[in-house]
Amino acid sequence: MLLRYFAYALAAIWLVHAVWPERADAQESRVPVSQCQAIAQATPAATFVGFAAPPALPAAAMEGEVSITFLGHSTFLIETPGGISIATDYNGWFHTPLPPTVVTMNRAHSSHYTLTPDPAIPHVLHGWGENGEPADHDLVVGDAYIRNVPTDIRSGFGGMEPNGNSIFIFEVAGLCIGHLGHLHYELEDSHYRAVGRLDVLMVPVDGGLTMGAESMSRVVSRLRSALILPMHRRGPIVNDFLAMFGDDYDKSYAAGDSVTVSLRSLPKKPLIYVLQGM
């Protein structure tokens, strides 16, 4: 616990000296400074688990609860305290009561994107770039800040497509929520630095369509999120994934398809939580 508070104290110092002088310019350009990255970069050797609210954050940033609903496959509906709705790996198959404010997509398979989204959706974010350039998103909408970290994917005939996938990070209500998309390769140190701290992690558990279970479990262990939500494949393969984690993790099957979380209510011990529908 002392290590954790020490980490946040260092992060606060880093924010004061490195971030706040640029805050006016960042706000003017609508690209904020990531709290998830700031804390991780200030304490690169620390492990982050959601034991307590970080003292460096103002109280207003920690207020409110975020609702996360599993719609199917790799699509979650994230609803913020300010009324912003975000659908991940949106393919148009899973309907929401109203069009989401934001949808994110990845194109490794057609079940993770659509080129004909509902025109009523204000913000459509592709996880792949155009003209050989990686996708680069820094979107502020309402009380949510959305950014991405590009990763490579396998292409046909055993090849590799650079930057064909994105890990999307949603920063809202003091939480850092990450969706790994259709991750094909283990992350490198540069990826972990770009991602930063993740309190909530949405992870594909399919045993090989993305990448092998052992490789994926190493990514999960390195990220060390407080709340881990499996996605992408259902059935016995989920149990196989859970079995790879020892007593350092709690595991539970939810009674419903939704979970409500705040910075203060994060599990004290990392929890792999299987929502209904998986």
Side-chain angles (χ1 to χ4, degrees):
M1 186 68 75
L2 288 176
L3 173 61
R4 182 173 180 82
Y5 284 119
F6 179 68
Y8 280 121
L10 286 178
I13 295 170
W14 187 92
L15 283 166
V16 169
H17 290 283
V19 176
W20 287 355
E22 301 172 3
R23 176 69 66 169
D25 292 339
Q27 288 180 341
E28 185 175 338
S29 63
R30 298 294 287 160
V31 179
V33 174
S34 166
Q35 294 176 349
C36 308
Q37 285 180 313
I39 292 172
Q41 290 171 0
T43 54
T47 296
F48 298 97
V49 186
F51 290 134
L57 295 179
M62 297 184 286
E63 293 176 354
E65 294 180 322
V66 179
S67 172
I68 303 174
T69 302
F70 180 66
L71 300 182
H73 203 54
S74 292
T75 304
F76 292 85
L77 181 66
I78 303 169
E79 296 174 281
T80 77
I84 300 300
S85 59
I86 305 161
T88 64
D89 273 20
Y90 177 84
N91 54 27
W93 303 351
F94 308 111
H95 297 289
T96 55
L98 295 172
T101 315
V102 183
V103 298
T104 65
M105 300 182 189
N106 278 301
R107 70 174 183 188
H109 293 287
S110 60
S111 53
H112 296 256
Y113 74 101
T114 176
L115 297 180
T116 57
D118 186 338
I121 298 170
H123 304 280
V124 176
L125 307 185
H126 291 171
W128 62 93
E130 306 294 341
N131 302 318
E133 296 296 323
D136 183 13
H137 299 293
D138 284 288
L139 174 67
V140 176
V141 54
D143 59 341
Y145 169 40
I146 304 168
R147 59 187 178 88
N148 73 302
V149 176
T151 67
D152 302 334
I153 60 172
R154 295 184 300 272
S155 59
F157 305 103
M160 185 269 286
E161 177 185 343
N163 304 311
N165 178 74
S166 278
I167 299 170
F168 279 96
I169 298 105
F170 313 96
E171 302 190 23
V172 58
L175 291 166
C176 303
I177 302 170
H179 186 287
L180 293 182
H182 209 277
L183 188 65
H184 284 181
Y185 300 104
E186 288 196 47
L187 300 179
E188 299 177 357
D189 286 346
S190 59
H191 293 121
Y192 289 111
R193 287 193 296 270
V195 169
R197 178 186 111 245
L198 289 183
D199 303 300
V200 181
L201 175 66
M202 302 164 186
V203 56
V205 293
D206 50 58
L209 290 174
T210 51
M211 61 184 180
E214 288 190 5
S215 294
M216 194 66 77
S217 69
R218 284 193 290 268
V219 171
V220 172
S221 298
R222 173 78 180 265
L223 289 169
R224 194 70 176 177
S225 302
L227 180 63
I228 300 150
L229 304 177
M231 62 180 184
H232 200 230
R233 280 292 181 271
R234 64 178 66 186
I237 201 164
V238 178
N239 292 329
D240 294 342
F241 182 79
L242 296 181
M244 302 192 71
F245 295 87
D247 294 338
D248 290 342
Y249 291 79
D250 286 332
K251 302 122 183 177
S252 179
Y253 283 81
D257 60 2
S258 296
V259 60
T260 300
V261 63
S262 69
L263 194 60
R264 298 184 184 279
S265 69
L266 285 171
K268 291 181 170 56
K269 181 179 178 181
L271 170 64
I272 305 176
Y273 198 49
V274 184
L275 296 175
Q276 275 198 2
M278 264 296 297

